[in-house]
PDB file of all heavy atoms in Angstrom:
ATOM      1  N   ALA A  10      32.565  63.256  20.547  1.00 96.00           N
ATOM      2  CA  ALA A  10      33.996  63.391  20.280  1.00 96.00           C
ATOM      3  C   ALA A  10      34.384  62.635  19.007  1.00 96.00           C
ATOM      4  O   ALA A  10      35.161  63.129  18.188  1.00 96.00           O
ATOM      5  CB  ALA A  10      34.797  62.878  21.474  1.00 96.00           C
ATOM      6  N   LEU A  11      33.835  61.429  18.849  1.00 95.00           N
ATOM      7  CA  LEU A  11      34.070  60.682  17.622  1.00 95.00           C
ATOM      8  C   LEU A  11      33.587  61.445  16.395  1.00 95.00           C
ATOM      9  O   LEU A  11      34.283  61.540  15.376  1.00 95.00           O
ATOM     10  CB  LEU A  11      33.356  59.330  17.693  1.00 95.00           C
ATOM     11  CG  LEU A  11      34.016  58.200  18.468  1.00 95.00           C
ATOM     12  CD1 LEU A  11      33.035  57.039  18.652  1.00 95.00           C
ATOM     13  CD2 LEU A  11      35.259  57.708  17.767  1.00 95.00           C
ATOM     14  N   ASP A  12      32.393  62.017  16.504  1.00 94.00           N
ATOM     15  CA  ASP A  12      31.833  62.768  15.383  1.00 94.00           C
ATOM     16  C   ASP A  12      32.703  63.980  15.048  1.00 94.00           C
ATOM     17  O   ASP A  12      32.889  64.313  13.869  1.00 94.00           O
ATOM     18  CB  ASP A  12      30.411  63.224  15.713  1.00 94.00           C
ATOM     19  CG  ASP A  12      29.424  62.066  15.804  1.00 94.00           C
ATOM     20  OD1 ASP A  12      29.749  60.975  15.269  1.00 94.00           O
ATOM     21  OD2 ASP A  12      28.358  62.230  16.411  1.00 94.00           O
ATOM     22  N   ALA A  13      33.235  64.637  16.070  1.00 94.00           N
ATOM     23  CA  ALA A  13      34.063  65.818  15.835  1.00 94.00           C
ATOM     24  C   ALA A  13      35.336  65.466  15.075  1.00 94.00           C
ATOM     25  O   ALA A  13      35.783  66.211  14.201  1.00 94.00           O
ATOM     26  CB  ALA A  13      34.407  66.486  17.168  1.00 94.00           C
ATOM     27  N   VAL A  14      35.917  64.311  15.379  1.00 95.00           N
ATOM     28  CA  VAL A  14      37.139  63.887  14.690  1.00 95.00           C
ATOM     29  C   VAL A  14      36.841  63.522  13.242  1.00 95.00           C
ATOM     30  O   VAL A  14      37.610  63.837  12.325  1.00 95.00           O
ATOM     31  CB  VAL A  14      37.786  62.700  15.433  1.00 95.00           C
ATOM     32  CG1 VAL A  14      38.919  62.104  14.606  1.00 95.00           C
ATOM     33  CG2 VAL A  14      38.306  63.145  16.790  1.00 95.00           C
ATOM     34  N   ARG A  15      35.704  62.875  13.019  1.00 93.00           N
ATOM     35  CA  ARG A  15      35.373  62.421  11.662  1.00 93.00           C
ATOM     36  C   ARG A  15      35.092  63.580  10.706  1.00 93.00           C
ATOM     37  O   ARG A  15      35.068  63.385   9.498  1.00 93.00           O
ATOM     38  CB  ARG A  15      34.184  61.462  11.704  1.00 93.00           C
ATOM     39  CG  ARG A  15      34.542  60.083  12.271  1.00 93.00           C
ATOM     40  CD  ARG A  15      33.451  59.064  11.973  1.00 93.00           C
ATOM     41  NE  ARG A  15      33.888  57.717  12.297  1.00 93.00           N
ATOM     42  CZ  ARG A  15      33.446  57.007  13.331  1.00 93.00           C
ATOM     43  NH1 ARG A  15      32.551  57.529  14.161  1.00 93.00           N
ATOM     44  NH2 ARG A  15      33.887  55.787  13.544  1.00 93.00           N
ATOM     45  N   THR A  16      34.889  64.773  11.214  1.00 90.00           N
ATOM     46  CA  THR A  16      34.694  65.926  10.329  1.00 90.00           C
ATOM     47  C   THR A  16      35.985  66.336   9.635  1.00 90.00           C
ATOM     48  O   THR A  16      35.959  67.036   8.626  1.00 90.00           O
ATOM     49  CB  THR A  16      34.174  67.144  11.113  1.00 90.00           C
ATOM     50  OG1 THR A  16      35.183  67.581  12.044  1.00 90.00           O
ATOM     51  CG2 THR A  16      32.889  66.825  11.850  1.00 90.00           C
ATOM     52  N   GLY A  17      37.133  65.912  10.211  1.00 89.00           N
ATOM     53  CA  GLY A  17      38.413  66.276   9.632  1.00 89.00           C
ATOM     54  C   GLY A  17      38.903  67.652  10.038  1.00 89.00           C
ATOM     55  O   GLY A  17      39.872  68.160   9.458  1.00 89.00           O
ATOM     56  N   ASP A  18      38.286  68.234  11.048  1.00 85.00           N
ATOM     57  CA  ASP A  18      38.671  69.587  11.468  1.00 85.00           C
ATOM     58  C   ASP A  18      39.735  69.608  12.557  1.00 85.00           C
ATOM     59  O   ASP A  18      40.062  70.674  13.090  1.00 85.00           O
ATOM     60  CB  ASP A  18      37.438  70.355  11.951  1.00 85.00           C
ATOM     61  CG  ASP A  18      36.466  70.656  10.824  1.00 85.00           C
ATOM     62  OD1 ASP A  18      36.945  70.773   9.665  1.00 85.00           O
ATOM     63  OD2 ASP A  18      35.254  70.749  11.074  1.00 85.00           O
ATOM     64  N   CYS A  19      40.247  68.447  12.933  1.00 90.00           N
ATOM     65  CA  CYS A  19      41.310  68.333  13.944  1.00 90.00           C
ATOM     66  C   CYS A  19      40.954  69.052  15.243  1.00 90.00           C
ATOM     67  O   CYS A  19      41.643  69.973  15.679  1.00 90.00           O
ATOM     68  CB  CYS A  19      42.633  68.875  13.394  1.00 90.00           C
ATOM     69  SG  CYS A  19      43.305  67.928  12.019  1.00 90.00           S
ATOM     70  N   PRO A  20      39.873  68.628  15.907  1.00 93.00           N
ATOM     71  CA  PRO A  20      39.500  69.292  17.160  1.00 93.00           C
ATOM     72  C   PRO A  20      40.538  69.059  18.247  1.00 93.00           C
ATOM     73  O   PRO A  20      41.233  68.040  18.261  1.00 93.00           O
ATOM     74  CB  PRO A  20      38.172  68.612  17.529  1.00 93.00           C
ATOM     75  CG  PRO A  20      38.247  67.266  16.878  1.00 93.00           C
ATOM     76  CD  PRO A  20      38.986  67.487  15.590  1.00 93.00           C
ATOM     77  N   ASN A  21      40.640  69.994  19.153  1.00 94.00           N
ATOM     78  CA  ASN A  21      41.546  69.883  20.293  1.00 94.00           C
ATOM     79  C   ASN A  21      40.774  69.282  21.459  1.00 94.00           C
ATOM     80  O   ASN A  21      40.025  69.980  22.142  1.00 94.00           O
ATOM     81  CB  ASN A  21      42.108  71.255  20.653  1.00 94.00           C
ATOM     82  CG  ASN A  21      43.128  71.178  21.782  1.00 94.00           C
ATOM     83  OD1 ASN A  21      43.649  70.110  22.065  1.00 94.00           O
ATOM     84  ND2 ASN A  21      43.379  72.295  22.427  1.00 94.00           N
ATOM     85  N   LEU A  22      40.950  67.966  21.674  1.00 95.00           N
ATOM     86  CA  LEU A  22      40.178  67.251  22.688  1.00 95.00           C
ATOM     87  C   LEU A  22      41.077  66.819  23.836  1.00 95.00           C
ATOM     88  O   LEU A  22      42.148  66.255  23.616  1.00 95.00           O
ATOM     89  CB  LEU A  22      39.520  66.009  22.076  1.00 95.00           C
ATOM     90  CG  LEU A  22      38.519  66.239  20.941  1.00 95.00           C
ATOM     91  CD1 LEU A  22      38.124  64.912  20.315  1.00 95.00           C
ATOM     92  CD2 LEU A  22      37.283  66.966  21.458  1.00 95.00           C
ATOM     93  N   THR A  23      40.637  67.061  25.051  1.00 94.00           N
ATOM     94  CA  THR A  23      41.371  66.578  26.213  1.00 94.00           C
ATOM     95  C   THR A  23      41.026  65.110  26.448  1.00 94.00           C
ATOM     96  O   THR A  23      40.058  64.570  25.892  1.00 94.00           O
ATOM     97  CB  THR A  23      40.996  67.377  27.466  1.00 94.00           C
ATOM     98  OG1 THR A  23      39.614  67.125  27.786  1.00 94.00           O
ATOM     99  CG2 THR A  23      41.203  68.873  27.246  1.00 94.00           C
ATOM    100  N   THR A  24      41.819  64.460  27.272  1.00 93.00           N
ATOM    101  CA  THR A  24      41.551  63.069  27.636  1.00 93.00           C
ATOM    102  C   THR A  24      40.150  62.921  28.201  1.00 93.00           C
ATOM    103  O   THR A  24      39.405  61.994  27.863  1.00 93.00           O
ATOM    104  CB  THR A  24      42.591  62.595  28.670  1.00 93.00           C
ATOM    105  OG1 THR A  24      43.888  62.626  28.067  1.00 93.00           O
ATOM    106  CG2 THR A  24      42.286  61.191  29.157  1.00 93.00           C
ATOM    107  N   ARG A  25      39.762  63.844  29.050  1.00 95.00           N
ATOM    108  CA  ARG A  25      38.451  63.774  29.703  1.00 95.00           C
ATOM    109  C   ARG A  25      37.307  63.990  28.712  1.00 95.00           C
ATOM    110  O   ARG A  25      36.196  63.505  28.929  1.00 95.00           O
ATOM    111  CB  ARG A  25      38.386  64.819  30.820  1.00 95.00           C
ATOM    112  CG  ARG A  25      37.254  64.597  31.824  1.00 95.00           C
ATOM    113  CD  ARG A  25      37.350  65.606  32.961  1.00 95.00           C
ATOM    114  NE  ARG A  25      38.571  65.458  33.724  1.00 95.00           N
ATOM    115  CZ  ARG A  25      38.723  64.611  34.742  1.00 95.00           C
ATOM    116  NH1 ARG A  25      37.708  63.857  35.115  1.00 95.00           N
ATOM    117  NH2 ARG A  25      39.868  64.547  35.386  1.00 95.00           N
ATOM    118  N   GLN A  26      37.578  64.698  27.630  1.00 97.00           N
ATOM    119  CA  GLN A  26      36.527  64.952  26.637  1.00 97.00           C
ATOM    120  C   GLN A  26      36.327  63.781  25.686  1.00 97.00           C
ATOM    121  O   GLN A  26      35.303  63.697  25.019  1.00 97.00           O
ATOM    122  CB  GLN A  26      36.873  66.203  25.829  1.00 97.00           C
ATOM    123  CG  GLN A  26      36.740  67.503  26.609  1.00 97.00           C
ATOM    124  CD  GLN A  26      37.267  68.688  25.816  1.00 97.00           C
ATOM    125  OE1 GLN A  26      38.269  68.599  25.114  1.00 97.00           O
ATOM    126  NE2 GLN A  26      36.573  69.822  25.934  1.00 97.00           N
ATOM    127  N   LYS A  27      37.298  62.878  25.610  1.00 97.00           N
ATOM    128  CA  LYS A  27      37.201  61.783  24.653  1.00 97.00           C
ATOM    129  C   LYS A  27      36.506  60.546  25.220  1.00 97.00           C
ATOM    130  O   LYS A  27      35.787  59.853  24.508  1.00 97.00           O
ATOM    131  CB  LYS A  27      38.599  61.393  24.149  1.00 97.00           C
ATOM    132  CG  LYS A  27      39.247  62.469  23.285  1.00 97.00           C
ATOM    133  CD  LYS A  27      40.395  61.915  22.469  1.00 97.00           C
ATOM    134  CE  LYS A  27      41.515  61.363  23.312  1.00 97.00           C
ATOM    135  NZ  LYS A  27      42.632  60.841  22.484  1.00 97.00           N
ATOM    136  N   HIS A  28      36.756  60.222  26.484  1.00 97.00           N
ATOM    137  CA  HIS A  28      36.238  58.986  27.063  1.00 97.00           C
ATOM    138  C   HIS A  28      35.717  59.224  28.481  1.00 97.00           C
ATOM    139  O   HIS A  28      36.125  60.161  29.154  1.00 97.00           O
ATOM    140  CB  HIS A  28      37.334  57.913  27.198  1.00 97.00           C
ATOM    141  CG  HIS A  28      38.007  57.524  25.939  1.00 97.00           C
ATOM    142  ND1 HIS A  28      39.133  58.146  25.466  1.00 97.00           N
ATOM    143  CD2 HIS A  28      37.713  56.538  25.055  1.00 97.00           C
ATOM    144  CE1 HIS A  28      39.512  57.574  24.334  1.00 97.00           C
ATOM    145  NE2 HIS A  28      38.674  56.600  24.065  1.00 97.00           N
ATOM    146  N   TYR A  29      34.875  58.305  28.909  1.00 97.00           N
ATOM    147  CA  TYR A  29      34.611  58.168  30.338  1.00 97.00           C
ATOM    148  C   TYR A  29      34.728  56.696  30.700  1.00 97.00           C
ATOM    149  O   TYR A  29      34.733  55.826  29.833  1.00 97.00           O
ATOM    150  CB  TYR A  29      33.249  58.746  30.730  1.00 97.00           C
ATOM    151  CG  TYR A  29      32.033  58.008  30.199  1.00 97.00           C
ATOM    152  CD1 TYR A  29      31.328  57.101  30.997  1.00 97.00           C
ATOM    153  CD2 TYR A  29      31.557  58.239  28.904  1.00 97.00           C
ATOM    154  CE1 TYR A  29      30.199  56.453  30.520  1.00 97.00           C
ATOM    155  CE2 TYR A  29      30.427  57.591  28.421  1.00 97.00           C
ATOM    156  CZ  TYR A  29      29.750  56.709  29.238  1.00 97.00           C
ATOM    157  OH  TYR A  29      28.632  56.055  28.761  1.00 97.00           O
ATOM    158  N   ARG A  30      34.873  56.425  31.988  1.00 98.00           N
ATOM    159  CA  ARG A  30      35.062  55.050  32.451  1.00 98.00           C
ATOM    160  C   ARG A  30      33.939  54.693  33.429  1.00 98.00           C
ATOM    161  O   ARG A  30      33.610  55.471  34.316  1.00 98.00           O
ATOM    162  CB  ARG A  30      36.433  54.894  33.101  1.00 98.00           C
ATOM    163  CG  ARG A  30      37.581  55.196  32.131  1.00 98.00           C
ATOM    164  CD  ARG A  30      38.921  54.767  32.677  1.00 98.00           C
ATOM    165  NE  ARG A  30      40.029  55.070  31.774  1.00 98.00           N
ATOM    166  CZ  ARG A  30      40.406  54.311  30.763  1.00 98.00           C
ATOM    167  NH1 ARG A  30      39.752  53.201  30.503  1.00 98.00           N
ATOM    168  NH2 ARG A  30      41.427  54.668  30.004  1.00 98.00           N
ATOM    169  N   GLU A  31      33.396  53.510  33.236  1.00 98.00           N
ATOM    170  CA  GLU A  31      32.294  53.041  34.074  1.00 98.00           C
ATOM    171  C   GLU A  31      32.702  51.729  34.728  1.00 98.00           C
ATOM    172  O   GLU A  31      33.082  50.774  34.034  1.00 98.00           O
ATOM    173  CB  GLU A  31      31.020  52.869  33.240  1.00 98.00           C
ATOM    174  CG  GLU A  31      29.775  52.624  34.072  1.00 98.00           C
ATOM    175  CD  GLU A  31      28.493  52.800  33.278  1.00 98.00           C
ATOM    176  OE1 GLU A  31      28.556  52.852  32.032  1.00 98.00           O
ATOM    177  OE2 GLU A  31      27.416  52.880  33.908  1.00 98.00           O
ATOM    178  N   CYS A  32      32.633  51.691  36.049  1.00 98.00           N
ATOM    179  CA  CYS A  32      33.147  50.556  36.823  1.00 98.00           C
ATOM    180  C   CYS A  32      32.012  49.862  37.574  1.00 98.00           C
ATOM    181  O   CYS A  32      31.185  50.530  38.210  1.00 98.00           O
ATOM    182  CB  CYS A  32      34.193  51.025  37.835  1.00 98.00           C
ATOM    183  SG  CYS A  32      35.439  52.147  37.153  1.00 98.00           S
ATOM    184  N   PHE A  33      31.999  48.558  37.505  1.00 98.00           N
ATOM    185  CA  PHE A  33      31.037  47.751  38.247  1.00 98.00           C
ATOM    186  C   PHE A  33      31.830  46.904  39.239  1.00 98.00           C
ATOM    187  O   PHE A  33      32.621  46.044  38.844  1.00 98.00           O
ATOM    188  CB  PHE A  33      30.217  46.888  37.290  1.00 98.00           C
ATOM    189  CG  PHE A  33      29.337  47.702  36.379  1.00 98.00           C
ATOM    190  CD1 PHE A  33      29.841  48.210  35.188  1.00 98.00           C
ATOM    191  CD2 PHE A  33      28.031  47.993  36.735  1.00 98.00           C
ATOM    192  CE1 PHE A  33      29.046  48.980  34.347  1.00 98.00           C
ATOM    193  CE2 PHE A  33      27.225  48.769  35.906  1.00 98.00           C
ATOM    194  CZ  PHE A  33      27.739  49.261  34.708  1.00 98.00           C
ATOM    195  N   VAL A  34      31.613  47.168  40.522  1.00 98.00           N
ATOM    196  CA  VAL A  34      32.498  46.652  41.562  1.00 98.00           C
ATOM    197  C   VAL A  34      31.707  45.816  42.568  1.00 98.00           C
ATOM    198  O   VAL A  34      30.639  46.235  43.036  1.00 98.00           O
ATOM    199  CB  VAL A  34      33.203  47.805  42.305  1.00 98.00           C
ATOM    200  CG1 VAL A  34      34.112  47.271  43.403  1.00 98.00           C
ATOM    201  CG2 VAL A  34      33.984  48.676  41.321  1.00 98.00           C
ATOM    202  N   VAL A  35      32.251  44.648  42.891  1.00 98.00           N
ATOM    203  CA  VAL A  35      31.731  43.833  43.985  1.00 98.00           C
ATOM    204  C   VAL A  35      32.679  44.022  45.166  1.00 98.00           C
ATOM    205  O   VAL A  35      33.865  43.669  45.085  1.00 98.00           O
ATOM    206  CB  VAL A  35      31.657  42.349  43.603  1.00 98.00           C
ATOM    207  CG1 VAL A  35      31.110  41.528  44.773  1.00 98.00           C
ATOM    208  CG2 VAL A  35      30.795  42.162  42.363  1.00 98.00           C
ATOM    209  N   ALA A  36      32.174  44.589  46.249  1.00 98.00           N
ATOM    210  CA  ALA A  36      33.013  44.850  47.420  1.00 98.00           C
ATOM    211  C   ALA A  36      32.987  43.654  48.378  1.00 98.00           C
ATOM    212  O   ALA A  36      32.015  42.888  48.426  1.00 98.00           O
ATOM    213  CB  ALA A  36      32.534  46.101  48.141  1.00 98.00           C
ATOM    214  N   GLU A  37      34.076  43.508  49.103  1.00 98.00           N
ATOM    215  CA  GLU A  37      34.097  42.502  50.167  1.00 98.00           C
ATOM    216  C   GLU A  37      33.090  42.886  51.250  1.00 98.00           C
ATOM    217  O   GLU A  37      32.774  44.072  51.434  1.00 98.00           O
ATOM    218  CB  GLU A  37      35.497  42.426  50.787  1.00 98.00           C
ATOM    219  CG  GLU A  37      36.601  42.000  49.830  1.00 98.00           C
ATOM    220  CD  GLU A  37      36.621  40.507  49.589  1.00 98.00           C
ATOM    221  OE1 GLU A  37      35.734  39.815  50.125  1.00 98.00           O
ATOM    222  OE2 GLU A  37      37.525  40.046  48.868  1.00 98.00           O
ATOM    223  N   ASP A  38      32.579  41.895  51.952  1.00 97.00           N
ATOM    224  CA  ASP A  38      31.643  42.170  53.043  1.00 97.00           C
ATOM    225  C   ASP A  38      32.287  43.107  54.062  1.00 97.00           C
ATOM    226  O   ASP A  38      33.412  42.864  54.525  1.00 97.00           O
ATOM    227  CB  ASP A  38      31.239  40.870  53.741  1.00 97.00           C
ATOM    228  CG  ASP A  38      30.370  39.985  52.855  1.00 97.00           C
ATOM    229  OD1 ASP A  38      29.801  40.499  51.880  1.00 97.00           O
ATOM    230  OD2 ASP A  38      30.286  38.769  53.145  1.00 97.00           O
ATOM    231  N   GLY A  39      31.588  44.181  54.384  1.00 97.00           N
ATOM    232  CA  GLY A  39      32.074  45.118  55.385  1.00 97.00           C
ATOM    233  C   GLY A  39      33.079  46.129  54.874  1.00 97.00           C
ATOM    234  O   GLY A  39      33.570  46.977  55.641  1.00 97.00           O
ATOM    235  N   ALA A  40      33.419  46.086  53.593  1.00 97.00           N
ATOM    236  CA  ALA A  40      34.418  47.015  53.051  1.00 97.00           C
ATOM    237  C   ALA A  40      33.857  48.433  52.985  1.00 97.00           C
ATOM    238  O   ALA A  40      32.646  48.647  52.859  1.00 97.00           O
ATOM    239  CB  ALA A  40      34.856  46.566  51.664  1.00 97.00           C
ATOM    240  N   ASP A  41      34.736  49.413  53.086  1.00 98.00           N
ATOM    241  CA  ASP A  41      34.371  50.825  53.009  1.00 98.00           C
ATOM    242  C   ASP A  41      34.233  51.208  51.540  1.00 98.00           C
ATOM    243  O   ASP A  41      35.225  51.461  50.847  1.00 98.00           O
ATOM    244  CB  ASP A  41      35.462  51.664  53.692  1.00 98.00           C
ATOM    245  CG  ASP A  41      35.109  53.145  53.760  1.00 98.00           C
ATOM    246  OD1 ASP A  41      34.218  53.592  53.010  1.00 98.00           O
ATOM    247  OD2 ASP A  41      35.746  53.869  54.555  1.00 98.00           O
ATOM    248  N   THR A  42      32.997  51.266  51.048  1.00 98.00           N
ATOM    249  CA  THR A  42      32.781  51.534  49.622  1.00 98.00           C
ATOM    250  C   THR A  42      33.187  52.957  49.246  1.00 98.00           C
ATOM    251  O   THR A  42      33.625  53.193  48.109  1.00 98.00           O
ATOM    252  CB  THR A  42      31.314  51.281  49.238  1.00 98.00           C
ATOM    253  OG1 THR A  42      30.453  52.051  50.082  1.00 98.00           O
ATOM    254  CG2 THR A  42      30.980  49.795  49.373  1.00 98.00           C
ATOM    255  N   ASP A  43      33.059  53.900  50.163  1.00 98.00           N
ATOM    256  CA  ASP A  43      33.497  55.269  49.860  1.00 98.00           C
ATOM    257  C   ASP A  43      35.004  55.310  49.628  1.00 98.00           C
ATOM    258  O   ASP A  43      35.488  55.982  48.708  1.00 98.00           O
ATOM    259  CB  ASP A  43      33.124  56.216  51.002  1.00 98.00           C
ATOM    260  CG  ASP A  43      31.627  56.478  51.084  1.00 98.00           C
ATOM    261  OD1 ASP A  43      30.935  56.284  50.056  1.00 98.00           O
ATOM    262  OD2 ASP A  43      31.145  56.861  52.167  1.00 98.00           O
ATOM    263  N   ALA A  44      35.747  54.575  50.446  1.00 98.00           N
ATOM    264  CA  ALA A  44      37.200  54.537  50.285  1.00 98.00           C
ATOM    265  C   ALA A  44      37.587  53.835  48.988  1.00 98.00           C
ATOM    266  O   ALA A  44      38.532  54.246  48.292  1.00 98.00           O
ATOM    267  CB  ALA A  44      37.834  53.826  51.483  1.00 98.00           C
ATOM    268  N   ILE A  45      36.861  52.775  48.650  1.00 98.00           N
ATOM    269  CA  ILE A  45      37.136  52.069  47.393  1.00 98.00           C
ATOM    270  C   ILE A  45      36.896  52.997  46.207  1.00 98.00           C
ATOM    271  O   ILE A  45      37.715  53.088  45.282  1.00 98.00           O
ATOM    272  CB  ILE A  45      36.254  50.808  47.285  1.00 98.00           C
ATOM    273  CG1 ILE A  45      36.680  49.766  48.321  1.00 98.00           C
ATOM    274  CG2 ILE A  45      36.314  50.233  45.869  1.00 98.00           C
ATOM    275  CD1 ILE A  45      35.754  48.566  48.396  1.00 98.00           C
ATOM    276  N   GLU A  46      35.767  53.685  46.213  1.00 98.00           N
ATOM    277  CA  GLU A  46      35.451  54.589  45.102  1.00 98.00           C
ATOM    278  C   GLU A  46      36.502  55.681  44.970  1.00 98.00           C
ATOM    279  O   GLU A  46      36.950  56.003  43.865  1.00 98.00           O
ATOM    280  CB  GLU A  46      34.072  55.214  45.297  1.00 98.00           C
ATOM    281  CG  GLU A  46      33.676  56.155  44.166  1.00 98.00           C
ATOM    282  CD  GLU A  46      32.233  56.618  44.260  1.00 98.00           C
ATOM    283  OE1 GLU A  46      31.530  56.218  45.221  1.00 98.00           O
ATOM    284  OE2 GLU A  46      31.805  57.380  43.376  1.00 98.00           O
ATOM    285  N   GLN A  47      36.932  56.247  46.092  1.00 98.00           N
ATOM    286  CA  GLN A  47      37.953  57.295  46.054  1.00 98.00           C
ATOM    287  C   GLN A  47      39.277  56.761  45.519  1.00 98.00           C
ATOM    288  O   GLN A  47      39.967  57.431  44.735  1.00 98.00           O
ATOM    289  CB  GLN A  47      38.142  57.874  47.456  1.00 98.00           C
ATOM    290  CG  GLN A  47      39.076  59.069  47.531  1.00 98.00           C
ATOM    291  CD  GLN A  47      38.559  60.289  46.778  1.00 98.00           C
ATOM    292  OE1 GLN A  47      37.386  60.363  46.435  1.00 98.00           O
ATOM    293  NE2 GLN A  47      39.443  61.244  46.504  1.00 98.00           N
ATOM    294  N   ALA A  48      39.637  55.536  45.904  1.00 98.00           N
ATOM    295  CA  ALA A  48      40.880  54.939  45.414  1.00 98.00           C
ATOM    296  C   ALA A  48      40.827  54.721  43.909  1.00 98.00           C
ATOM    297  O   ALA A  48      41.838  54.876  43.212  1.00 98.00           O
ATOM    298  CB  ALA A  48      41.135  53.617  46.138  1.00 98.00           C
ATOM    299  N   ILE A  49      39.646  54.385  43.405  1.00 98.00           N
ATOM    300  CA  ILE A  49      39.502  54.149  41.962  1.00 98.00           C
ATOM    301  C   ILE A  49      39.582  55.460  41.189  1.00 98.00           C
ATOM    302  O   ILE A  49      40.390  55.599  40.258  1.00 98.00           O
ATOM    303  CB  ILE A  49      38.172  53.429  41.661  1.00 98.00           C
ATOM    304  CG1 ILE A  49      38.184  52.014  42.240  1.00 98.00           C
ATOM    305  CG2 ILE A  49      37.911  53.395  40.148  1.00 98.00           C
ATOM    306  CD1 ILE A  49      36.834  51.319  42.193  1.00 98.00           C
TER     307      ILE A  49
END
């Protein structure tokens, strides 16, 4: 996505096409990790 912008061609990029998010989570003991992931 960065490379496409630097060409100067004004690409039409959605939010999802520009970035992704990576999360590193420490859960409380006994917490429902599936529910935490869904909430995030």
Side-chain angles (χ1 to χ4, degrees):
L11 280 169
D12 292 341
V14 171
R15 287 194 170 108
T16 66
D18 292 332
C19 295
N21 184 18
L22 299 172
T23 66
T24 297
R25 196 175 297 274
Q26 289 173 322
K27 292 198 298 181
H28 302 90
Y29 68 99
R30 299 192 181 276
E31 190 166 14
C32 313
F33 294 86
V34 179
V35 180
E37 298 282 3
D38 291 341
D41 185 342
T42 55
D43 289 338
I45 291 173
E46 181 172 1
Q47 186 65 16
I49 293 170

